[in-house]
């Protein structure tokens, strides 16, 4: 591994500049076109764009594969024009009338087939955008009530879907983004452990890995830095959605580090020490502006999250490793805690 410090590249998706609607109220900010959003990336210090398939090709269900490919090529030209690259494309399998009961795990075989076909189109878009990563956030692959689906069979269906996608095109990889709940009461792939176990069962395990979102790990009652470390040890952390979450409530997508600075510090540390980013992985930020945010401030949450990441990176790089090792060797974890907290507070 090179001894040069990692030069991190940042990414976000167009949905991270949004209009502020929530389940209890309508939008509060005027929409911004995709072309205008693209212009903001470089200004904010971002190089990568994350996509849903229909962010790249709106209304793709009504288009032929050839039309989809042509539209995706036009988006590629827009990215090239801005000096940006696509990080990944995710099939949006949670908005269509066909995916009310889930995508790959819907009880109706026709709806499961829709999910597979839609995923093939997503892979076509991946190819045209010149990236090699699909993110699978398995939003509706779970249940509201246990009795509605067969949980064991659902796992087989998920595996079958992954294998079909891997066979459809051999030039791309799949990163599963686990989340334990929301919109479902209970999701079938709630943690990175579940995702990685599924990856090893795939026809080509080397092409299936994971994306870890901080808030999703916290919602599962887990520590995101330990989850990231687990995936890194398997060589399967291919993307991250850094953000923050203030306890067990709805998925808040707060700015990275905004709720718990020490927990954020430990995530940056695990990424830095695990060599994350050295194979081109992006530091993705899946953050939402507060609903109270005015239109003119609607990218502050992105700028803040990036700034907090870089400030914490500095804290990681300036940590006194000798001092830390001595405290660990003495099993003086109280002393270690004091050192870490004071280091974060700028006292040491
Ligand atoms: C929602 C997810 C979502 C995904 C995105 C990419 O909780 O975090 O934002 O990351 O749709 O698939
Ligand atoms: Mg996410």
């Amino acid at each position: 591994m090179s001894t040069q410090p990692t030069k991190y590249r940042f990414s976000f998706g167009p949905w991270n500049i949004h209009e502020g609607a929530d389940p209890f109220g309508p939008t509060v900010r005027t929409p911004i076109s995709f072309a205008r959003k693209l212009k903001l990336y470089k200004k904010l210090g971002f190089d990568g764009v994350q996509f849903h398939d229909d962010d790249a090709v709106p209304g793709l269900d009504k288009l032929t594969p050839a039309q989809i490919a042509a539209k995706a090529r036009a988006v590629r030209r827009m990215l090239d024009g801005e000096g940006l690259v696509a990080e990944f494309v995710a099939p949006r399998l949670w908005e269509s009338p066909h995916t009310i009961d889930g995508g790959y795990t819907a009880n109706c075989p026709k709806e499961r087939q829709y999910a597979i076909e839609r995923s093939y189109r997503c892979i076509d878009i991946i190819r045209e955008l010149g990236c090699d990563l699909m993110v699978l956030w398995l939003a509706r692959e779970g249940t509201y009530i246990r009795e509605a689906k067969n949980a064991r069979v659902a796992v087989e269906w998920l595996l079958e879907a992954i294998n079909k996608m891997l066979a459809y095109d051999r030039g791309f990889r799949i990163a599963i983004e686990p989340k334990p709940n929301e919109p479902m009461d209970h999701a079938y792939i709630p943690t990175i452990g579940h995702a990685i176990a599924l990856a090893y069962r795939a026809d080509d395990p080397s092409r299936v890995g994971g994306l870890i979102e901080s808030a999703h790990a916290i919602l599962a009652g887990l520590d995101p830095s330990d989850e990231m470390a687990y995936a890194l040890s398997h060589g399967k952390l291919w993307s991250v959605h850094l953000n923050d979450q203030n306890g067990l409530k709805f998925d808040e997508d707060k700015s990275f580090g905004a709720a718990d600075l020490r927990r954020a510090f430990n995530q940056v540390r695990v990424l830095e020490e695990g060599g994350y980013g050295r194979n081109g992985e992006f530091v993705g930020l899946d953050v939402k502006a507060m609903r109270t945010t005015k239109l003119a401030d609607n990218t502050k949450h992105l700028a803040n999250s990036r700034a907090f990441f870089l400030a914490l990176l500095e804290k990681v790089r300036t940590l006194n490793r000798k001092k830390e090792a001595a405290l660990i060797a003495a099993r003086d974890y109280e002393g270690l805690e004091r050192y870490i907290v004071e280091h974060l507070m700028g006292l040491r």
Side-chain angles (χ1 to χ4, degrees):
M1 201 184 275
S2 141
T3 51
Q4 291 295 314
T6 308
K7 185 125 184 28
Y8 290 98
R9 295 188 301 167
F10 296 86
S11 66
F12 68 88
W15 64 90
N16 295 116
I17 302 176
H18 71 119
E19 294 85 48
D22 70 16
F24 303 98
T27 60
V28 289
R29 294 180 288 269
T30 46
I32 295 192
S33 70
F34 176 65
R36 269 187 62 208
K37 286 182 185 175
L38 277 194
K39 298 244 171 266
L40 298 169
Y41 276 74
K42 284 279 177 185
K43 281 187 201 144
L44 291 163
F46 288 76
D47 298 301
V49 183
Q50 308 177 353
F51 285 94
H52 294 121
D53 49 7
D54 56 0
D55 291 324
V57 182
L60 79 169
D61 278 343
K62 296 207 166 65
L63 302 174
T64 65
Q67 289 169 323
I68 292 171
K71 287 193 185 286
R73 277 196 292 278
V75 173
R76 171 79 190 269
R77 286 192 291 275
M78 287 169 82
L79 292 174
D80 290 348
E82 301 294 335
L84 297 169
V85 293
E87 183 198 359
F88 68 70
V89 188
R92 202 192 302 258
L93 289 172
W94 52 92
E95 287 189 354
S96 159
H98 294 289
T99 57
I100 291 170
D101 189 34
Y104 313 121
T105 67
N107 279 321
C108 167
K110 270 200 196 133
E111 313 291 42
R112 292 202 299 279
Q113 190 53 33
Y114 164 84
I116 301 281
E117 294 293 336
R118 171 90 182 223
S119 306
Y120 290 159
R121 298 293 81 76
C122 179
I123 297 166
D124 296 342
I125 295 171
I126 290 173
R127 205 185 303 122
E128 297 298 346
L129 291 186
C131 67
D132 78 337
L133 192 63
M134 168 191 272
V135 164
L136 276 188
W137 172 42
L138 299 165
R140 298 195 189 277
E141 315 302 353
T143 49
Y144 300 110
I145 57 167
R146 286 298 80 70
E147 301 82 1
K149 289 182 186 173
N150 182 321
R152 182 181 45 75
V153 170
V155 177
E156 302 309 316
W157 283 339
L158 285 172
L159 190 61
E160 196 181 298
I162 287 171
N163 285 337
K164 282 184 178 163
M165 290 186 251
L166 292 175
Y168 177 75
D169 183 325
R170 304 205 174 265
F172 84 107
R173 299 168 300 145
I174 297 174
I176 300 172
E177 178 180 350
K179 181 176 182 183
N181 57 276
E182 199 199 45
M184 307 314 295
D185 172 63
H186 195 88
Y188 288 135
I189 306 296
T191 71
I192 200 65
H194 293 80
I196 290 179
L198 201 61
Y200 284 130
R201 280 185 67 200
D203 285 345
D204 185 354
S206 73
R207 290 170 54 209
V208 187
L211 174 157
I212 294 180
E213 173 162 326
S214 324
H216 296 181
I218 297 162
L219 285 170
L222 299 168
D223 180 81
S225 67
D226 277 355
E227 290 290 275
M228 288 171 190
Y230 184 84
L232 282 165
S233 85
H234 290 270
K236 289 197 176 294
L237 188 60
W238 296 345
S239 187
V240 289
H241 271 173
L242 299 186
N243 58 13
D244 216 344
Q245 172 75 25
N246 199 14
L248 296 182
K249 43 189 85 160
F250 65 95
D251 183 14
E252 298 182 297
D253 293 337
K254 280 176 175 292
S255 291
F256 179 57
D260 187 332
L261 217 44
R262 185 170 174 186
R263 189 169 58 193
F265 163 78
N266 281 309
Q267 290 171 67
V268 178
R269 181 176 189 171
V270 155
L271 295 175
E272 167 83 347
E273 291 177 359
Y276 185 84
R278 290 187 178 260
N279 294 313
E281 300 91 351
F282 278 89
V283 174
L285 296 164
D286 199 0
V287 289
K288 239 188 212 124
M290 291 175 236
R291 192 162 187 269
T292 44
T293 304
K294 294 188 178 152
L295 184 62
D297 297 327
N298 72 347
T299 56
K300 275 191 175 165
H301 58 305
L302 290 159
N304 289 353
S305 296
R306 183 178 174 278
F308 298 157
F309 179 93
L310 291 172
L312 289 169
L313 181 61
E314 200 45 36
K315 286 289 170 192
V316 170
R317 290 181 175 167
T318 56
L319 195 73
N320 184 335
R321 306 290 163 146
K322 271 199 190 136
K323 191 183 198 81
E324 185 187 55
L327 290 164
I328 291 170
R331 217 178 67 197
D332 182 4
Y333 300 153
E334 303 291 352
L336 179 60
E337 177 144 273
R338 179 151 187 169
Y339 171 56
I340 295 289
V341 172
E342 290 192 345
H343 179 65
L344 285 175
M345 292 169 84
L347 300 174
R348 288 212 257 178

